[in-house]
Amino acid sequence: MASMALVLTICFLGFFVPAPSLALSSNNNDFLRCLSANIPSQLVLTPSSPSFTPLLVSSIRNARLVAPATASPPLCIVTPTNTSHVQTAVRCGRRHSVRVRVRSGGHDNEGLSYRSTTPNGQAFAVIDLAKLHAVHVNPHEATAWVETGATVGQLYYRIAKAAPGLGFPASVCPTVGVGGIISGGGIGLMMRKYGLSADNVLDASMVDANGNLLANKKAMGDDLFWAIRGGGGGNFGIVLSWKLRLVAVPPKVTFFKVAKTMEQGAVDTVTKWQTLAPTLPDELSVRVVIQKSQANFQSLYLGNCSTVVATMRSRFPELGVTSADCKEMSWLQYTAYIYFGDAINSKPLEELLLNRSTTLGPFVKNKSDYVKKALTKETWKKIFLWPNGAASGQLILEPHGGIMGRIGAVKIPFPHRSNVLYNIQYVELWNGKEVGGNATPNWIGSLYNFMTPYVSKNPRGAYVNYRDLDIGTNQVVDGMTSYGSAKVWGESYFGPENFRRLAEIKRKVDAGDYFQSEQSVPPFPLKE
Ligand SMILES: Cc1cc2nc3c(=O)[nH]c(=O)nc-3n(C[C@H](O)[C@H](O)[C@H](O)COP(=O)(O)OP(=O)(O)OC[C@H]3O[C@@H](n4cnc5c(N)ncnc54)[C@H](O)[C@@H]3O)c2cc1C
Ligand SMILES: *[C@@H]1O[C@H](CO)[C@@H](O)[C@H](O)[C@H]1NC(C)=O
Ligand SMILES: *[C@@H]1O[C@H](CO)[C@@H](O)[C@H](O)[C@H]1NC(C)=O
Ligand SMILES: *[C@@H]1O[C@H](CO)[C@@H](O)[C@H](O)[C@H]1NC(C)=O
Ligand SMILES: *[C@@H]1O[C@H](CO)[C@@H](O)[C@H](O)[C@H]1NC(C)=O
């Protein structure tokens, strides 16, 4: 019932109305026939196949997204084993007016890689890239080509095995896909030293909106190569592989963890953390997870325990870090430890990091903000005491500074650079059977409203990889998304200047708006 109410609200607001010209069902059979001419039938699953639903939901960890995904499922899921299959899917889709959504790791926070928010809307197909996950490391060049169906865990593992001493800056969660995360930027605990994942892309290959293969950045041209490095997934084409610059990691890195309750001074330490963490040595990231009125500080230091304890003692004595709080390990062990914890002692890293299956968790809704001016102690006190109600809330604060502040805001589409102190991710988790089903309980919404005066504004920033449909969705007129209405969310993710450039590039490379979703970049209007 609650989910129905949500859907109705979205429809009545007139958002994302399906394009009438694309809704013809006779096209659907022609589309499937077209696929079968070039793609082996076992690689195309339709809802009549017993494997269809298990595959559709295989990457979903958020219970909020399961029902909407299965209620209006895609026409089919294509699981390419070859570039030419991806080209065929796009060409057939163009020819028969069936849109495609592409899925890499499937971790999109709103599920846009495999679901449409319009029930009974136009048919679409999913291209699931999971079978294209090769990683080729060149240790001498310190580069790697990775296919976009690979997960971050697969990438980390292959790099470390082929080239000990090298690593790559990306997410904490190993099941995130390199297709989505690099398309949207890619933040993680090495970004203060090495930047975003997308800052370390040297080249790429992709299939464009005509189904043509663009084998490298030269074939794409500077604009398109700029756009795909942080301009958001699902907008400009289907990236098949990235060439990455690998980064140096020492033989041992250090993790430490310190928890502070409010009685132990959590409010004061977080208040100080805001301006301190962005100015620590680039090799050190200290992030904070706030939950149940407790602050948990977690770090990655690219060096040994004794050095980081000395640094913390002089720069942040209030945190009281001692060598007993430290764990030294290899970078690869760290990538597993930060997510799986002590399980790394009982299971081989290979098993943990190469495993791409996910388990269905609770209902989740996430939002994000950027902070440029430190919040006061009084404000933090209110946040720590914000009532959770029946849900459970979490704030994850990721420090910027370091090289993040030295890279220009228009170098790639990701705009949140100098002046940013840290990113906030709001995470609300609930048990849908007990509370509200798909309708999000109001911890996150009320806190987000409360935060308005304290976070970045004009526009209020958000991180595209923490996708949030509440900040705005596309309006579709005659099958085309509109730039004017997309600005609302687009300028939050990319800033006004980058968003305009993204739309201009979209006009050049996908004027017919084939790659379209609730939050896809619209083609810049010919006359505004
Ligand atoms: C548990 C969890 C932890 C996370 N941790 C982090 C983190 O530490 N740092 C961080 O930056 N983000 C993090 N994220 C967010 C994550 O980066 C984004 O959700 C990202 O978009 C997921 O990529 P994916 O390939 O797994 O997702 P998908 O759902 O497959 O794709 C996401 C978007 O990109 C598009 N896309 C996918 N593949 C391609 C491709 N090959 N070419 C073009 N477009 C493509 C999709 O159509 C969709 O629009 C996390 C998310 C989750 C759920
Ligand atoms: C991929 O398809 C192309 C064109 O059909 C073919 O030439 C090539 O051999 C295929 N590659 C693989 C690895 O199957
Ligand atoms: C929200 O963020 C948390 C923490 O990063 C993550 O575990 C979760 O999967 C995210 N989920 C969604 C749906 O956004
Ligand atoms: C820790 O690293 C520092 C700086 O690289 C080095 O001088 C020191 O010897 C190391 N200490 C230990 C215990 O390894
Ligand atoms: C892979 O991960 C899933 C989900 O977390 C888990 O259920 C499964 O046991 C794991 N498989 C292996 C081989 O570790």
Side-chain angles (χ1 to χ4, degrees):
M1 249 6 246
S3 71
M4 198 58 196
L6 194 72
V7 164
L8 288 177
T9 319
I10 290 167
C11 295
F12 280 124
L13 293 174
F15 293 148
F16 206 69
V17 177
S21 59
L22 290 172
L24 299 174
S25 65
S26 67
N27 288 342
N28 299 347
N29 287 330
D30 294 340
F31 171 71
L32 292 171
R33 211 168 298 123
C34 178
L35 294 181
S36 67
N38 287 299
I39 306 177
S41 60
Q42 72 274 16
L43 303 181
V44 180
L45 299 184
T46 58
S48 63
S49 157
S51 325
F52 177 87
T53 303
L55 176 61
L56 177 64
V57 303
S58 64
S59 69
I60 309 183
R61 352 167 18 109
N62 182 353
R64 180 171 67 88
L65 300 172
V66 175
T70 52
S72 34
L75 190 58
C76 67
I77 306 173
V78 182
T79 61
T81 55
N82 186 326
T83 300
S84 71
H85 303 153
V86 179
Q87 293 179 267
T88 296
V90 171
R91 286 188 179 137
C92 294
R94 285 301 293 273
R95 190 169 311 144
H96 300 291
S97 301
V98 173
R99 295 191 193 281
V100 293
R101 295 195 179 218
V102 58
R103 178 164 83 177
S104 167
H107 282 40
D108 189 278
N109 283 6
E110 300 280 9
L112 297 192
S113 54
Y114 53 85
R115 68 141 183 156
S116 154
T117 61
T118 317
N120 312 314
Q122 68 184 81
F124 66 99
V126 169
I127 301 178
D128 184 314
L129 298 169
K131 289 178 175 159
L132 295 170
H133 61 234
V135 182
H136 296 289
V137 178
N138 183 332
H140 307 292
E141 261 192 9
T143 62
W145 274 101
V146 55
E147 289 184 321
T148 49
T151 61
V152 162
Q154 291 173 328
L155 176 65
Y156 291 162
Y157 185 82
R158 299 291 172 213
I159 293 171
K161 290 295 146 179
L166 294 176
F168 188 72
S171 64
V172 166
C173 170
T175 46
V176 165
V178 302
I181 190 173
I182 301 181
S183 293
I187 71 175
L189 288 161
M190 290 208 293
M191 74 175 164
R192 305 192 61 254
K193 172 79 176 167
Y194 293 119
L196 303 167
S197 308
D199 290 324
N200 293 285
V201 170
L202 300 170
D203 205 343
S205 73
M206 69 186 286
V207 170
D208 71 10
N210 295 316
N212 292 327
L213 175 66
L214 307 177
N216 51 45
K217 61 183 174 188
K218 193 154 166 273
M220 290 172 210
D222 290 344
D223 274 342
L224 182 52
F225 184 57
W226 177 83
I228 62 169
R229 286 173 295 153
N235 286 318
F236 303 98
I238 299 177
V239 177
L240 296 169
S241 57
W242 305 105
K243 183 182 185 184
L244 307 175
R245 178 197 300 122
L246 304 182
V247 303
V249 292
K252 289 272 178 259
V253 304
T254 303
F255 168 84
F256 70 73
K257 184 170 80 178
V258 175
K260 293 267 183 228
T261 61
M262 287 183 79
E263 295 70 38
Q264 293 166 332
V267 168
D268 285 317
T269 29
V270 169
T271 305
K272 176 165 178 180
W273 171 92
Q274 298 175 96
T275 47
L276 178 81
T279 63
L280 287 170
D282 295 0
E283 293 73 23
L284 174 58
S285 274
V286 181
R287 69 171 190 159
V288 191
V289 179
I290 300 171
Q291 189 171 22
K292 298 198 173 103
S293 306
Q294 176 171 310
N296 300 289
F297 296 81
Q298 304 169 341
S299 84
L300 170 62
Y301 178 59
L302 300 173
N304 63 29
C305 174
S306 48
T307 312
V308 75
V309 168
T311 303
M312 292 304 284
R313 253 190 211 138
S314 76
R315 302 285 305 274
F316 203 175
E318 299 83 346
L319 206 54
V321 180
T322 70
S323 54
D325 302 313
C326 279
K327 277 189 198 312
E328 287 181 353
M329 58 192 98
S330 72
W331 171 75
L332 187 67
Q333 286 172 317
Y334 183 94
T335 64
Y337 181 76
I338 186 77
Y339 191 74
F340 297 105
D342 290 327
I344 71 161
N345 300 322
S346 53
K347 277 195 173 180
L349 291 179
E350 182 168 0
E351 211 171 282
L352 295 170
L353 293 170
L354 301 186
N355 182 1
R356 63 186 300 149
S357 39
T358 54
T359 28
L360 187 62
F363 287 62
V364 190
K365 172 68 191 174
N366 291 359
K367 301 177 82 65
S368 64
D369 261 319
Y370 283 92
V371 174
K372 296 183 170 175
K373 191 168 168 288
L375 280 54
T376 63
K377 203 173 132 176
E378 288 65 39
T379 305
W380 274 113
K381 200 165 165 203
K382 289 182 188 153
I383 297 170
F384 269 84
L385 296 172
W386 205 261
N388 270 344
S392 130
Q394 219 178 68
L395 293 182
I396 303 176
L397 315 180
E398 299 277 359
H400 276 224
I403 198 175
M404 287 296 289
R406 301 191 290 270
I407 295 176
V410 301
K411 179 105 194 286
I412 66 169
F414 179 97
H416 314 291
R417 301 287 191 170
S418 66
N419 305 328
V420 170
L421 295 174
Y422 56 95
N423 170 279
I424 303 180
Q425 186 178 198
Y426 307 80
V427 182
E428 177 160 27
L429 309 129
W430 69 100
N431 177 341
K433 289 210 182 68
E434 289 162 15
V435 199
N438 278 43
T440 309
N442 204 33
W443 174 82
I444 200 166
S446 65
L447 181 56
Y448 187 76
N449 285 343
F450 167 79
M451 293 295 278
T452 310
Y454 310 116
V455 296
S456 67
K457 37 184 99 54
N458 306 316
R460 183 174 186 168
Y463 174 37
V464 65
N465 271 344
Y466 295 160
R467 195 190 296 285
D468 176 8
L469 293 181
D470 296 350
I471 68 172
T473 52
N474 281 331
Q475 286 174 13
V476 182
V477 179
D478 293 336
M480 302 281 285
T481 53
S482 104
Y483 178 71
S485 58
K487 274 186 186 174
V488 178
W489 55 265
E491 294 188 349
S492 288
Y493 289 152
F494 306 110
E497 191 181 339
N498 287 350
F499 187 58
R500 186 187 163 109
R501 184 170 173 202
L502 288 170
E504 287 168 350
I505 295 167
K506 175 81 171 177
R507 159 71 54 193
K508 278 205 314 198
V509 304
D510 185 15
D513 203 11
Y514 179 62
F515 293 110
Q516 186 185 96
S517 75
E518 292 77 351
Q519 279 187 347
S520 55
V521 172
F524 194 75
L526 287 173
K527 44 184 187 325
E528 212 183 352

